[in-house]
Amino acid sequence: MEQLLQQIEKYKQEIAAVTHNGPDSTEAYRIKFLGTKGIVKNLFAEMKNVPNEKKKEFGQILNEFKQLAEAKYESLKKSAGATEEAAPDIDLSLPGDELPLGTRHPISLVKNEIIHIFGRLGFSVAEGPEIEDDWHNFTSLNLPGDHPARDMQDTFYIHKNPDWLLRTHTSSVQARVMEKQKPPIRIICPGRVYRNETISARAHCFFHQTEGLYVDENVSFADLKQTLYFFVQEMFGKDVKVRFRPSYFPFTEPSAEMDINCRICGGVGCNVCKHTGWVEILGSGMVHPKMLENFNIDSNKYTGFAFGMGIERICQLKYRINDLRLYSQNDIRFLKQFISAV
Ligand code: 2U9
């Protein structure tokens, strides 16, 4: 009996020293201690050799030992589960999951291209707030108090008296630059603008513009024509045909609109060019001397030209997009078509 008790003590120490070492060693432990021919079974078999008066005491010791051996087995199984969760079987040599690349919005593509083309002519980008005050959006730009653009029907007002509104053009950015900077000024102002329009295929309550301004000594109408001609050639190709038509804008005098030959139908006639073969793409003109004076720029010394274009319109001609609403519907079938455009 004494010998058996010493043996049990040794087994207890052995069990205490066992640590989790994978499923095979756990199974080996089970077979060794708890198997049909295992240590626990063998110890119980020794009962018959224990004197009767010691049987009760030995039985208790054996039961405690059996519980200890079983508890260890349960804890080894638990640690196996935890290790498997932390490090599941994975094949690191497999190729990774494919992450689909997003696309740039067509308006951003065209905006970036406009910035790039004018950048090569020395124009830098100026930006300003989308919520504007009356002075920068209207008054400083020769848009008098009774001008229709100021009407609540045409403009989103955020606050009246003082008037704060969503800018109706990016001309307000040029106004802010003229206020702060003396000539030479050579900027383009891309950005979102807002007008109170009913949404349809041809009109939206917001769209994007790029306006431009060049003020320096000896800036002429010939500079204006050549700059804009260079722009459309770069944007649409060397074969593009242009025509200038006289027009009117409050900020410029003289003013001209520029048409290019229709890129959609090649001149045969379509809805976009209204069967004329020509599409208007921008407005322009020599900066009105009164405007230069509004910003304390000497109109006897300096002249300038300005222009403005809708990015949606340029985009329509470049990518043949016939409905303005597509730009803001976030339809993935529309957007993913621009996947290969940079
Ligand atoms: C300052 C000086 C001059 C901005 C100009 C246009 C002509 C023009 C519109 C065409 C279609 C924009 O997208 S559109 O609605 N714009 O035709 N804009 S000259 O002239 C300025 C502006 C500010 C201080």
Side-chain angles (χ1 to χ4, degrees):
M1 163 102 178
E2 206 47 46
Q3 227 180 339
L4 278 172
L5 290 178
Q6 278 175 11
Q7 191 62 48
I8 288 172
E9 275 314 305
K10 273 194 188 155
Y11 286 144
K12 277 186 181 172
Q13 284 166 14
E14 191 181 331
I15 288 173
V18 172
T19 52
H20 176 252
N21 202 12
D24 289 348
S25 75
T26 302
E27 181 59 5
Y29 169 87
R30 188 192 65 77
I31 293 168
K32 181 172 179 183
F33 283 93
L34 303 168
T36 40
K37 291 178 186 162
I39 289 166
V40 171
K41 270 266 158 58
N42 291 343
L43 285 172
F44 273 97
E46 290 291 333
M47 192 66 125
K48 60 180 184 301
N49 304 324
V50 174
N52 277 347
E53 68 276 15
K54 297 271 183 189
K55 271 193 174 23
K56 194 176 167 204
E57 186 194 344
F58 188 65
Q60 261 177 0
I61 292 170
L62 270 189
N63 272 330
E64 276 166 24
F65 177 71
K66 186 184 173 202
Q67 279 167 13
L68 179 93
E70 284 172 346
K72 182 73 183 195
Y73 178 58
E74 289 306 317
S75 97
L76 288 175
K77 280 200 295 191
K78 260 192 202 150
S79 342
T83 322
E84 268 159 31
E85 247 170 56
D89 281 347
I90 49 165
D91 183 350
L92 293 173
S93 66
L94 285 173
D97 288 341
E98 202 178 314
L99 282 178
L101 267 188
T103 59
R104 279 196 207 285
H105 194 280
I107 294 294
S108 300
L109 289 172
V110 170
K111 182 186 85 172
N112 290 345
E113 201 170 340
I114 295 171
I115 291 172
H116 182 69
I117 296 170
F118 281 102
R120 286 160 58 204
L121 295 175
F123 285 79
S124 52
V125 173
E127 290 183 318
E130 290 186 13
I131 298 175
E132 263 301 357
D133 52 44
D134 177 283
W135 167 256
H136 292 102
N137 198 80
F138 293 132
T139 309
S140 69
L141 298 170
N142 259 0
L143 286 156
D146 57 356
H147 196 281
R150 285 170 168 261
D151 201 284
M152 297 276 273
Q153 299 302 316
D154 297 304
T155 299
F156 292 112
Y157 284 86
I158 283 171
H159 192 268
K160 280 298 245 176
N161 235 343
D163 290 355
W164 294 328
L165 46 96
L166 297 183
R167 68 182 180 195
T168 59
H169 45 200
T170 59
S171 307
S172 52
V173 183
Q174 283 107 290
R176 286 179 178 277
V177 171
M178 294 243 276
E179 216 165 47
K180 287 214 182 78
Q181 201 180 309
K182 292 296 149 222
I185 294 169
R186 205 186 302 180
I187 51 165
I188 55 166
C189 309
R192 185 174 285 180
V193 301
Y194 302 83
R195 293 182 190 177
N196 193 357
E197 302 258 7
T198 307
I199 296 171
S200 71
R202 292 166 172 273
H204 212 296
C205 57
F206 67 81
F207 65 101
H208 300 79
Q209 283 189 330
T210 300
E211 294 202 359
L213 176 69
Y214 180 23
V215 182
D216 202 348
E217 290 180 51
N218 303 317
V219 176
S220 71
F221 201 89
D223 295 324
L224 177 157
K225 276 186 85 170
Q226 204 53 42
T227 303
L228 296 179
Y229 190 40
F230 173 80
F231 165 69
V232 289
Q233 280 192 326
E234 290 299 297
M235 182 58 92
F236 295 106
K238 294 278 181 223
D239 63 325
V240 69
K241 290 189 178 59
V242 302
R243 73 178 188 186
F244 279 85
R245 284 177 290 102
S247 185
Y248 169 80
F249 299 107
F251 352 91
T252 47
E253 180 60 36
S255 305
E257 278 169 326
M258 189 173 147
D259 302 338
I260 59 169
N261 61 324
C262 184
R263 319 306 291 168
I264 307 281
C265 66
V268 184
C270 68
N271 284 348
V272 175
C273 66
K274 300 189 192 100
H275 299 275
T276 65
W278 294 97
V279 187
E280 179 199 320
I281 62 153
L282 55 84
S284 63
M286 299 306 291
V287 179
H288 199 296
K290 196 173 154 211
M291 279 246 294
L292 295 174
E293 300 299 337
N294 278 354
F295 295 99
N296 296 321
I297 294 173
D298 184 352
S299 60
N300 292 314
K301 187 172 173 196
Y302 295 105
T303 50
F305 69 74
F307 55 88
M309 66 185 93
I311 300 182
E312 278 79 352
R313 167 53 66 90
I314 309 283
C315 206
Q316 170 184 47
L317 295 172
K318 213 168 158 71
Y319 296 118
R320 295 170 180 242
I321 297 164
N322 57 7
D323 190 326
L324 270 178
R325 290 167 293 195
L326 283 165
Y327 292 122
S328 49
Q329 280 166 340
N330 270 347
D331 187 331
I332 218 86
R333 291 167 301 179
F334 170 71
L335 296 172
K336 76 178 179 193
Q337 292 177 68
F338 300 90
I339 202 144
S340 60
V342 206

